[in-house]
Amino acid sequence: MKLPEFEEVQGPVLMLNMLKFKDRKYYFETYLPAFRKATEKLGINDVKIRLACNVAASILAPESEAWDAILLVEYPSASAFKTIAESDVYRDIADPYRLAATDTLHLYMTTPFEL
């Protein structure tokens, strides 16, 4: 996966993962451990799942945008995310499991702001 340049994004980033599953159990029991193994091999050990939840109902969204789950995953930086996503290590160890487990995945890179 070739990603855009993120050099202007500073500090930790939160990736909003919006998921439709082919196989929910496979995602959590096979893909996530493989993802952890890939990040460890890359020396990026501070990736944290900050929120994992089922989508109970779509309120202000078309039915076509119904999601099964949402994960909010913190990466130490945008460049750490990019390193993982573009690496052969991730592609070989984890990505086949993600593809097998998910029907649709939308990712949004977010950064915090003060209210």
Side-chain angles (χ1 to χ4, degrees):
M1 161 183 345
K2 182 67 178 154
L3 299 172
E5 298 301 319
F6 298 130
E7 285 74 21
E8 68 280 359
V9 179
Q10 300 297 311
V13 296
L14 295 169
M15 295 297 294
L16 174 62
N17 295 251
M18 299 171 61
L19 299 149
K20 287 184 189 179
F21 294 114
K22 292 179 195 171
D23 188 330
R24 174 189 300 269
K25 185 176 179 183
Y26 192 76
Y27 182 88
F28 289 104
E29 293 181 4
T30 307
Y31 168 68
L32 285 183
F35 175 82
R36 292 269 184 231
K37 183 177 178 183
T39 60
E40 287 171 10
K41 278 188 169 253
L42 292 167
I44 303 172
N45 299 311
D46 43 359
V47 177
K48 301 174 187 96
I49 296 176
R50 293 295 186 190
L51 176 70
C53 54
N54 294 315
V55 176
S58 295
I59 307 302
L60 291 174
E63 218 175 283
S64 63
E65 293 182 22
W67 299 98
D68 296 323
I70 295 173
L71 298 180
L72 195 56
V73 182
E74 183 178 342
Y75 291 80
S77 65
S79 63
F81 171 80
K82 187 173 182 178
T83 296
I84 295 164
E86 292 183 339
S87 73
D88 289 337
V89 170
Y90 174 79
R91 202 168 10 264
D92 294 343
I93 293 174
D95 204 35
Y97 299 118
R98 178 189 63 82
L99 293 171
T102 57
D103 182 44
T104 306
L105 169 64
H106 287 193
L107 289 175
Y108 296 91
M109 182 178 289
T110 70
T111 56
F113 63 89
E114 294 293 322
L115 291 177

